Amino acid sequence: MTPHRSGRLYLTAPPARLTPHEVRIRAFDARRRGVDPDQVREFQARVADELTELHRQVRLLAQENDRLKRALRDWQTMHARECRPPNDGHW
């Protein structure tokens, strides 16, 4: 993290993503009044599956975003060539 002029901190790099694999293998310490380990594993599997789907969607959206940016740049380049400023003055 790097301090901003305002004194607040901002991240210089995105935080590391939590992977579905990390969710699936995470173990917790046993406590006297613990929870049902089967329910925990089932929940971890559901969360991991959802993370997998979200990561897939983010990847697809990033690809679509790149495609749209390229198309916009191409259109702007083509449009700039066609739209030259008029020469109305003596200059």
Side-chain angles (χ1 to χ4, degrees):
M1 286 189 259
T2 305
H4 189 263
R5 280 184 277 174
S6 68
R8 292 180 296 183
L9 295 178
Y10 63 88
L11 299 174
T12 55
R17 280 187 172 169
L18 182 63
T19 67
H21 179 70
E22 290 173 311
V23 172
R24 288 182 201 281
I25 66 168
R26 178 73 162 101
F28 300 92
D29 296 334
R31 296 283 185 241
R32 183 187 307 176
R33 293 185 179 178
V35 293
D36 181 356
D38 292 333
Q39 288 180 344
V40 171
R41 281 190 291 278
E42 181 182 319
F43 182 75
Q44 285 176 298
R46 286 179 50 208
V47 170
D49 291 344
E50 188 163 334
L51 272 176
T52 299
E53 177 60 19
L54 290 172
H55 286 191
R56 185 188 70 77
Q57 288 178 8
V58 166
R59 188 176 57 253
L60 291 174
L61 289 171
Q63 291 171 353
E64 177 70 2
N65 189 31
D66 290 341
R67 186 190 69 75
L68 290 170
K69 284 180 182 178
R70 282 192 307 274
L72 177 60
R73 272 194 305 271
D74 292 346
W75 181 87
Q76 287 172 328
T77 301
M78 181 185 69
H79 188 69
R81 287 182 191 141
E82 294 174 359
C83 297
R84 304 213 187 275
N87 189 0
D88 293 334
H90 300 291
W91 314 101

